């Protein structure tokens, strides 16, 4: 694809966002349930608990946010709780009504079950005038969550580690990527690809790059639920996880995956002890902050043989309100302020703001003029919302869980007596069986 075509695609994205911004500003965006002015609930009072996964900044940045928020909402007291294993801990708490007032919607909660736990934030059509990335947590025309940031997915890597191994340009295909990892291993100074096996949740980041491997924004939500060939050779899931398997089999990952540590891995990547990790753009700022030279830390699309290189724009965690909160108005005041007036999305989450028309971050501007396209995934067809989740849950595959990724790694390093094709065949049979049941 020519650079001119890629640039036109990038500019088209900017035009869409800018046009939507004009629509938002020209209308009365401060009325109704979708008020994002930061003033809604200005006369509210009470005490709310905000639950976050950011253990690293809960006692610093978030307290500063609360102080700024209180300048506009002096009668609302904001308490914070940070969970180190957010998904695991919050889902346990959600067995009761006591899971804070404002929280991040767990990815493990199926879309269809969202209304059982969360308060609707407004009409989807109206909120789309103000925010992007709402479809993930929208059902029956209502939005239940708003992304705290809009991220893009790929690989974070240390350019110096790659350059020292003789790799001066980012690998574009799976073959080039494996060759680059082998070159890093041959030099012997860094772990080529770090999986973060032990923490588990980082392995779920691999699923985020499925759109890049497919080369189509339609694949995840439109094509995937309508195919029985989800894990067969030549299809996106097969090609995506073949890279993980090959890296493990070739000894290009950490020597003992069971002893990995996420927090330590960020510092090791920053200091040149790790070559690359599959993780969302939200991690860029965190790693750069630890690097002796932040320019060494860069980002690239996941390697693909697709004709078009798409880095999918997708919502980070969606923020929502506990259905059982006794301070919903105050909770909404916090959400409106947090999304519109804090710097969380760009500075702390390393992505772009979900607010329509907000400035693009430097990390996104870096790809202008390249063959890389940034696009939102297509929403599911009408009537098929949440279908992928339903099939996945019934099949017990765990697309957004770490288990089968760990299985692939274990097979690759020889701890399991099964091949990659054995695993893919098993997953595809489960998919086909459950799809037939769900689609009846």
């Amino acid at each position: 694809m020519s650079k001119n075509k890629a640039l036109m695609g990038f500019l088209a994205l900017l035009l869409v966002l800018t046009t939507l911004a004009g629509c938002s500003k020209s209308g009365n965006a401060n009325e109704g349930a979708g008020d994002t002015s930061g003033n809604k609930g200005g006369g509210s009072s009470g005490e709310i608990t905000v639950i976050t996964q950011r253990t690293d900044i809960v006692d610093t940045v978030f307290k500063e946010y609360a102080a700024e928020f209180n300048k506009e909402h002096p009668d609302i007291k904001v308490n914070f709780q940070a969970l180190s294993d957010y998904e695991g801990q919050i889902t346990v708490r959600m067995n009761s009504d006591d899971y804070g007032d404002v929280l991040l919607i767990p990815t493990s909660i199926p879309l269809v079950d969202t209304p059982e736990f969360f308060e609707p934030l407004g009409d989807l059509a109206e909120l789309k005038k103000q925010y992007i990335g709402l479809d993930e947590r929208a059902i029956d025309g209502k939005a239940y969550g708003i992304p705290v940031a809009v991220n893009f997915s790929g690989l974070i890597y240390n350019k110096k580690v790659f350059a020292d191994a003789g790799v001066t340009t980012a690998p574009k295909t799976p073959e080039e990527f494996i060759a680059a990892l082998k070159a890093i291993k041959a030099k012997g100074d860094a772990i080529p690809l770090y999986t973060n096996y032990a923490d588990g949740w980082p392995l779920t980041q691999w699923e985020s790059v499925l759109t890049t491997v497919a080369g189509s924004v339609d694949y995840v939500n439109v094509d995937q639920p309508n195919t029985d060939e989800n894990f067969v050779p030549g299809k996106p899931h097969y090609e995506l996880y073949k890279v993980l398997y090959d890296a493990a089999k070739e000894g290009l990952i950490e020597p003992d995956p069971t002893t990995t540590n996420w927090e330590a891995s960020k510092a090791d990547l920053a200091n040149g002890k790790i070559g690359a990790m599959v993780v969302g753009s939200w991690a860029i700022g965190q790693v750069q902050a630890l690097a002796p030279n932040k320019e060494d830390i860069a980002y690239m699309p996941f390697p693909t043989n697709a004709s078009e290189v798409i880095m999918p724009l997708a919502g980070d965690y969606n923020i929502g309100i506990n259905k059982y909160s006794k301070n919903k108005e105050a909770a909404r005041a916090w959400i409106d302020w947090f999304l519109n007036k804090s710097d969380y999305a760009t500075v702390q989450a390393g992505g772009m703001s979900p607010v329509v028309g907000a400035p693009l971050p430097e990390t996104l501007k870096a790809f202008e003029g390249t063959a890389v396209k940034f696009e939102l995934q297509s929403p599911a067809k009408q009537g098929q919302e949440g279908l992928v989740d339903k099939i996945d849950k019934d099949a017990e595959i765990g697309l957004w869980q770490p288990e089968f990724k760990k299985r692939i790694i274990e097979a690759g390093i020889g701890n399991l007596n099964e091949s990659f094709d054995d695993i893919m065949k098993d997953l595809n049979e489960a998919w086909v069986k459950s799809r037939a049941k769900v689609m009846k």
Side-chain angles (χ1 to χ4, degrees):
M1 185 174 67
S2 70
K3 289 186 177 181
N4 286 339
K5 183 178 179 183
L7 180 57
M8 288 300 292
F10 188 90
L11 292 176
L13 171 63
L14 299 185
L15 179 60
V16 168
L17 298 181
T18 304
T19 302
L20 287 174
C23 293
S24 175
K25 292 174 183 175
S26 64
N28 191 350
N30 295 330
E31 292 182 357
D35 178 16
T36 60
S37 65
N39 294 323
K40 184 178 180 182
S44 300
S45 62
E47 187 170 352
I48 60 172
T49 296
V50 176
I51 304 180
T52 176
Q53 90 287 24
R54 294 300 298 272
T55 56
D56 55 332
I57 59 173
V58 67
D59 293 324
T60 53
V61 175
F62 273 92
K63 287 188 176 180
E64 293 172 5
Y65 287 161
E68 290 299 312
F69 172 75
N70 283 144
K71 292 178 181 178
E72 297 183 21
H73 304 275
D75 296 324
I76 300 176
K77 182 180 180 182
V78 185
N79 302 308
F80 299 102
Q81 293 179 9
L83 306 180
S84 56
D85 175 16
Y86 186 82
E87 290 280 335
Q89 292 172 273
I90 196 65
T91 49
V92 170
R93 288 185 60 169
M94 289 171 69
N95 286 320
S96 70
D97 297 346
D98 181 21
Y99 46 97
D101 299 283
V102 176
L103 67 156
L104 306 171
I105 301 178
T107 58
S108 57
I109 299 294
L111 174 63
V112 293
D113 294 340
T114 308
E116 294 183 22
F117 301 98
F118 293 91
E119 185 76 5
L121 299 179
D123 291 332
L124 178 62
E126 286 301 308
L127 282 180
K128 276 189 172 182
K129 297 176 183 177
Q130 302 157 22
Y131 298 106
I132 63 174
L134 298 175
D135 290 293
E136 182 180 337
R137 285 295 169 180
I139 187 168
D140 295 331
K142 298 289 184 181
Y144 287 84
I146 302 171
V148 295
V150 177
N151 292 320
F152 40 102
S153 301
L155 280 146
I156 188 170
Y157 71 108
N158 190 305
K159 286 194 297 185
K160 188 175 186 303
V161 170
F162 276 67
D164 288 347
V167 183
T168 55
T169 58
K172 293 181 173 59
T173 67
E175 295 76 19
E176 290 178 2
F177 183 62
I178 293 296
L181 297 183
K182 288 181 177 179
I184 293 171
K185 181 182 180 181
K187 193 166 187 307
D189 294 335
I191 296 170
L193 179 67
Y194 202 79
T195 69
N196 266 300
Y197 175 107
D199 283 87
W201 67 262
L203 287 170
T204 67
Q205 301 287 288
W206 284 71
E207 192 69 17
S208 299
V209 299
L210 189 63
T211 293
T212 305
V213 178
S216 168
V217 293
D218 289 340
Y219 187 79
V220 173
N221 297 316
V222 179
D223 298 337
Q224 185 179 204
N226 292 294
T227 182
D228 278 340
E229 297 184 330
N230 204 4
F231 297 88
V232 303
K235 297 300 181 179
H237 267 125
Y238 185 99
E239 300 305 318
L240 166 59
Y241 289 108
K242 185 67 161 57
V243 174
L244 178 60
Y245 178 82
D246 287 346
K249 187 175 182 180
E250 296 290 340
L252 304 175
I253 64 172
E254 52 270 60
D256 183 2
T258 63
T259 61
T260 62
N261 180 278
W262 163 248
E263 291 298 333
S265 75
K266 291 188 291 184
D268 287 346
L269 178 61
N271 292 302
K273 296 179 181 179
I274 291 172
M277 298 191 295
V278 175
V279 69
S281 61
W282 54 266
I284 297 172
Q286 295 182 36
V287 177
Q288 286 181 335
L290 300 170
N293 177 15
K294 76 173 189 176
E295 298 302 319
D296 287 341
I297 307 305
Y299 207 75
M300 65 169 135
F302 191 85
T304 179
N305 286 315
S307 58
E308 289 191 322
V309 181
I310 300 171
M311 290 179 77
L313 293 174
D316 197 323
Y317 267 118
N318 276 243
I319 194 169
I321 297 174
N322 180 351
K323 181 178 181 178
Y324 304 100
S325 168
K326 293 180 173 59
N327 294 288
K328 292 176 183 176
E329 190 173 302
R332 183 55 184 269
W334 168 259
I335 287 179
D336 288 340
W337 183 91
F338 181 72
L339 294 175
N340 289 269
K341 297 192 176 181
S342 81
D343 63 4
Y344 182 85
T346 55
V347 176
Q348 303 300 332
M352 57 185 282
S353 170
V355 177
V356 168
L360 293 171
E362 290 301 318
T363 48
L364 194 59
K365 292 178 182 177
F367 291 95
E368 285 188 79
T370 72
V372 179
K373 298 172 66 177
F374 291 83
E375 296 184 1
L376 291 164
Q377 293 175 343
S378 303
K381 293 179 179 178
Q382 188 173 359
Q384 292 194 339
E385 297 88 350
L387 187 54
V388 171
D389 286 343
K390 291 179 183 177
I391 300 171
D392 181 42
K393 183 177 180 180
D394 184 82
E396 298 182 349
I397 291 172
L399 294 175
W400 290 96
Q401 301 301 319
E403 281 72 28
F404 84 74
K405 292 83 170 174
K406 288 186 174 184
R407 182 181 170 191
I408 289 170
I409 293 170
E410 293 284 354
I413 63 179
N415 287 353
L416 293 177
N417 186 26
E418 59 181 346
S419 68
F420 178 71
D421 282 342
D422 290 336
I423 297 172
M424 292 294 104
K425 182 180 179 182
D426 185 40
L427 294 178
N428 203 67
E429 286 177 352
W431 177 268
V432 171
K433 182 179 179 180
S434 292
R435 181 173 174 272
K437 184 191 303 183
V438 170
M439 295 289 281
K440 280 184 179 179

